[in-house]
């Protein structure tokens, strides 16, 4: 296993980025922010306790009669209590190839995606024809026409709606997608943008594969969809109590491509999850996030709400230690992991919905959304309520 050294993990940003160079999207000089008008999640109806899934995954991935001690230990340490699956448990064994799993992803993904986006639009007081841009992300299936194209017609969006289907960002895509619609709305201030994440991770489980990466993925990942509806508003006019995107930063670390992603073959998406990921997160998140916040006159102590991708207990521990966070700062991520597992790009959006609905931050307080993904990459999104 090749573990990158800290010296080789310098982010791919210009030399001045830590002091406000091209690596940052800074606040608009005219005071425009991206207001999250609504965020909603849609989960499959099939919900199971972790111990039920442990035995199913043992049946699917291990040889008959194989010792399940390590598998059960992995599942017990994953921080997951329940998960939602795209299909009933008894249907997974019948999925014999990538064509079948991708067809299942398409059918379930369209239904969940429509539910999430419809709910978010209704909560924002909007309808499908009001949407000017839709960004649609998934790392668990592929389609052409893409999910967003199929949903545009199905939901009654305008024929001139702009679409950006995204594949390859993985778990970082919830935060990165919000950052990219922020980029768009800075130049299209009278428009409405939507972000849709559809992640059916259970359909990527590789049968008869007892590799550590496959077993770890099987212990952590769940299924779901989430949608954000956003528009631009002047900071002086933002008094709604809804979160607003103030600034963003994207970081891509060289020579780390082997840490996270897929190996794609006849069986579909075989997971790549390297044990060195928490070490990279622990080494880089602290200085990189502090540098980003410093550009805006902030430090981690100024952040009242942390929305962190629940990549797993070791990832969350690495983030908390790197930033010297107080106990409970990442409770929303631990709670999301416990009740629905790691839903890839949909997870941070689910946490944003949960925080906004159940524990609204004080008006004027700061929040920080962060996620990591294949590349290896990180996305920071500075929020203000």
């Amino acid at each position: 296993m090749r573990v990158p050294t800290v010296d080789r993990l310098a982010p791919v940003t210009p030399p001045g980025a830590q002091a406000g160079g091209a690596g940052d999207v800074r606040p608009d000089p005219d005071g425009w922010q991206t207001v999250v008008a609504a965020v909603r999640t849609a989960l499959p109806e099939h919900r199971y306790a972790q111990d039920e899934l442990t035995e199913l995954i043992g049946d699917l991935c291990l040889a008959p009669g194989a010792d399940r001690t390590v598998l059960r230990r992995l599942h017990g340490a994953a921080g997951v209590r329940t998960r939602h699956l795209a299909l009933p448990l008894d249907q997974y064994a019948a999925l014999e190839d990538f064509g079948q799993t991708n067809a299942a992803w398409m059918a379930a993904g369209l239904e969940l995606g429509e539910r999430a986006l419809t709910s978010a639009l209704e909560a924002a007081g909007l309808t499908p024809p009001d949407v000017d841009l839709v960004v649609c992300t998934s790392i668990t299936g592929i389609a052409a026409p893409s999910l967003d194209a199929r949903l545009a017609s199905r939901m009654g969006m305008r024929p001139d709606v702009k679409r950006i289907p995204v594949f390859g960002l993985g778990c970082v895509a919830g935060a990165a997608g919000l950052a990219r619609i922020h980029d768009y709305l800075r130049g299209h201030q009278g428009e409405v943008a939507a972000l849709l994440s559809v992640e059916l991770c259970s359909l990527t489980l590789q049968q008869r594969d007892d590799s550590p990466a496959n077993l770890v993925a099987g212990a952590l990942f769940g299924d779901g969809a989430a949608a954000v509806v956003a528009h631009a508003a002047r900071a002086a006019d933002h008094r709604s109590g809804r979160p607003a995107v103030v600034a963003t930063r994207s970081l891509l670390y060289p020579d780390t491509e082997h840490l996270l992603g897929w190996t794609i073959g006849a069986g579909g998406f075989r997971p790549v999850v390297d044990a060195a990921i928490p070490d990279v997160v622990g080494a880089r998140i602290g200085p990189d996030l502090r540098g980003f916040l410093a550009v805006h006159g902030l430090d981690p102590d100024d952040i009242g709400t942390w929305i962190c991708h629940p990549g797993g207990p070791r990832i969350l521990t690495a983030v908390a230690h790197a930033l010297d966070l107080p106990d409970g700062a990442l409770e929303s991520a631990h709670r999301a992991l416990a009740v629905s597992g790691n839903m890839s790009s949909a997870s941070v959006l689910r946490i944003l919905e949960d925080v906004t609905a159940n524990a609204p931050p004080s008006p004027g307080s700061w929040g920080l959304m962060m996620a990591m993904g294949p590349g290896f990459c990180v996305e920071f999104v500075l929020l203000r309520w």
Side-chain angles (χ1 to χ4, degrees):
M1 180 174 64
R2 183 163 59 96
V3 180
T5 63
V6 173
D7 288 341
R8 295 173 62 208
L9 292 174
V12 183
T13 50
Q18 294 285 4
D24 284 305
V25 176
R26 307 193 68 186
D28 191 287
D30 295 325
W32 288 94
Q33 300 176 343
T34 294
V35 176
V36 175
V39 54
R40 291 293 184 270
T41 304
L43 301 174
E45 62 178 326
H46 315 294
R47 182 171 178 263
Y48 299 98
Q50 179 79 332
D51 56 357
E52 292 180 88
L53 299 181
T54 303
E55 299 312 312
L56 168 73
I57 290 169
D59 294 341
L60 292 177
C61 299
L62 302 182
D67 183 11
R68 299 192 177 189
T69 302
V70 173
L71 175 71
R72 289 168 180 155
R73 185 183 305 126
L74 278 173
H75 280 241
V80 178
R81 293 198 305 268
T82 58
R83 280 181 279 170
H84 296 255
L85 302 188
L87 304 177
L89 276 183
D90 59 6
Q91 293 187 16
Y92 282 86
L95 298 174
E96 297 180 347
D97 59 33
F98 178 53
Q100 291 179 341
T101 58
N102 201 65
W105 168 84
M106 176 79 75
L110 284 171
E111 189 270 329
L112 287 171
E114 183 173 13
R115 275 174 47 199
L117 189 50
T118 298
S119 179
L121 285 168
E122 289 176 352
L126 299 169
T127 63
D130 294 317
V131 177
D132 299 288
L133 169 76
V134 57
V135 176
C136 181
T137 184
S138 181
I139 193 70
T140 55
I142 54 175
S146 54
L147 288 179
D148 50 285
R150 297 165 193 258
L151 286 173
S153 175
R154 183 161 154 165
M155 294 178 63
M157 295 183 190
R158 301 194 317 268
D160 65 344
V161 65
K162 295 178 279 288
R163 301 179 297 105
I164 303 178
V166 177
F167 179 88
L169 285 177
C171 296
V172 80
L178 182 57
R180 299 295 79 77
I181 64 174
H182 172 61
D183 295 343
Y184 175 82
L185 289 171
R186 283 160 58 89
H188 300 80
Q189 293 158 351
E191 297 191 4
V192 171
L195 167 66
L196 175 63
S197 162
V198 178
E199 302 290 13
L200 306 183
C201 306
S202 68
L203 295 173
T204 68
L205 186 73
Q206 297 295 292
Q207 298 190 32
R208 297 294 167 255
D209 178 357
D210 62 357
S211 65
N214 195 48
L215 298 183
V216 167
L220 285 172
F221 286 97
D223 297 348
V228 170
V229 175
H231 61 84
R234 291 189 183 277
D237 298 329
H238 177 225
R239 297 288 185 269
S240 65
R242 295 169 175 166
V245 178
V246 175
T248 71
R249 177 180 281 185
S250 302
L251 296 173
L252 180 63
Y253 300 129
D255 301 321
T256 60
E257 297 91 344
H258 64 286
L259 293 180
L260 184 64
W262 298 125
T263 299
I264 301 175
F269 302 131
R270 188 170 187 265
V272 175
V273 183
D274 197 292
I277 293 173
D279 297 331
V280 173
V281 171
R284 295 306 319 180
I285 286 291
D288 288 338
L289 180 55
R290 287 186 176 90
F292 168 62
L293 292 176
V295 171
H296 309 289
L298 302 170
D299 62 41
D301 290 339
D302 294 310
I303 304 301
T305 302
W306 294 92
I307 300 172
C308 181
H309 173 66
R314 292 184 63 210
I315 296 290
L316 294 175
T317 297
V319 170
H321 287 172
L323 297 173
D324 195 23
L325 297 181
D327 292 344
L330 300 183
E331 176 57 29
S332 61
H334 285 286
R335 184 168 58 248
L337 184 64
V339 300
S340 53
N342 178 345
M343 298 194 302
S344 190
S345 65
S347 283
V348 289
L349 306 181
R350 175 169 170 77
I351 295 170
L352 180 61
E353 177 190 22
D354 179 55
V355 166
T356 303
N358 299 318
S362 302
S365 64
W366 293 99
L368 195 286
M369 177 185 286
M370 72 174 82
M372 311 96 191
F376 186 75
C377 64
V378 176
E379 192 82 28
F380 300 139
V381 180
L382 182 61
L383 303 169
R384 195 165 199 181
W385 267 263

